[in-house]
Amino acid sequence: MKRSLILYLTLIGITLSTNQLQAQEDRITPEDLAILVGNWEGMLTYRNYRDGQLFDVRSNLQISAGKDANQLLVQNNYPDEPKAGGPYNLTITKNGSRFNKANVISRTVLDDGHVEIVTEYKGRDDNKKSIIRITYRIGENSYYTRKDVQFKGTTDWLKRNEFRYERV
């Protein structure tokens, strides 16, 4: 009986340790984002709400340090649409579990060295309740984000938009 209890407690300890390590791997750090500081040129591909067609628009970013290590300031502009775009922040929580108010679902270092961060939150898209997933791929010379939407009551994910940037 004593051996069974020790074995049971050991298995619980291993399970809890594994879960804690996994949770820590899914957290992001300021170092994950710091590489983004600089100037970027690229393309936005977005899905039109009316007809579902995809459109491409040139896009530029200027990213600088924010008020602390957990924040970056972003100035987004569209050269072909000068009235569009504007400033926004990229912010992570102190414990790294949330990025721009969305839950961090995963953080993975890819074979090419890029860090991939996936976040999800409940929201609305096209005036419908949705789960919104944002995938970020951050590298020294390339930066990618993709927004996918899953409407309530469905299992399919719809690509809403995608930004692809190269450092200049």
Side-chain angles (χ1 to χ4, degrees):
M1 176 72 169
K2 187 175 180 181
R3 282 186 171 179
S4 295
L5 180 60
I6 290 171
L7 178 61
Y8 177 74
L9 292 174
T10 301
L11 289 174
I12 287 176
I14 290 170
T15 301
L16 290 174
S17 296
T18 302
N19 289 343
Q20 186 177 16
L21 285 173
Q22 181 63 41
Q24 288 174 348
E25 289 175 6
D26 292 342
R27 295 180 187 273
I28 59 176
T29 66
E31 291 77 22
D32 290 332
L33 302 183
I35 196 168
L36 289 173
V37 172
N39 295 314
W40 301 84
E41 289 182 352
M43 190 71 64
L44 159 64
T45 301
Y46 69 94
R47 184 175 304 278
N48 185 312
Y49 282 88
R50 283 183 236 148
D51 60 13
Q53 290 190 30
L54 294 173
F55 292 93
D56 289 330
V57 178
R58 290 188 309 143
S59 177
N60 297 328
L61 297 178
Q62 294 86 37
I63 302 178
S64 58
K67 65 181 180 182
D68 60 34
N70 289 359
Q71 182 185 73
L72 293 176
L73 306 176
V74 181
Q75 178 63 44
N76 183 18
N77 67 69
Y78 300 95
D80 301 322
E81 297 184 30
K83 293 183 181 181
Y88 63 92
N89 297 331
L90 294 175
T91 305
I92 62 174
T93 55
K94 288 184 182 183
N95 69 3
S97 65
R98 294 176 60 83
F99 182 37
N100 284 350
K101 300 181 182 178
N103 294 321
V104 174
I105 302 304
S106 68
R107 179 200 177 273
T108 308
V109 178
L110 303 175
D111 290 340
D112 63 5
H114 286 74
V115 173
E116 181 179 82
I117 299 165
V118 178
T119 65
E120 286 185 0
Y121 63 95
K122 292 181 181 178
R124 297 187 75 79
D125 188 90
D126 201 17
N127 291 320
K128 300 173 191 170
K129 289 184 179 180
S130 308
I131 297 174
I132 299 168
R133 177 183 293 158
I134 311 288
T135 302
Y136 304 85
R137 287 196 192 117
I138 302 168
E140 187 174 331
N141 293 307
S142 64
Y143 174 43
Y144 163 94
T145 66
R146 177 176 167 149
K147 177 181 177 182
D148 294 294
V149 176
Q150 183 185 61
F151 295 111
K152 184 176 180 179
T154 68
T155 57
D156 294 333
W157 288 91
L158 171 71
K159 178 173 116 175
R160 181 57 73 197
N161 63 49
E162 178 179 85
F163 290 88
R164 298 171 313 279
Y165 294 102
E166 297 294 323
R167 187 179 297 278
V168 293

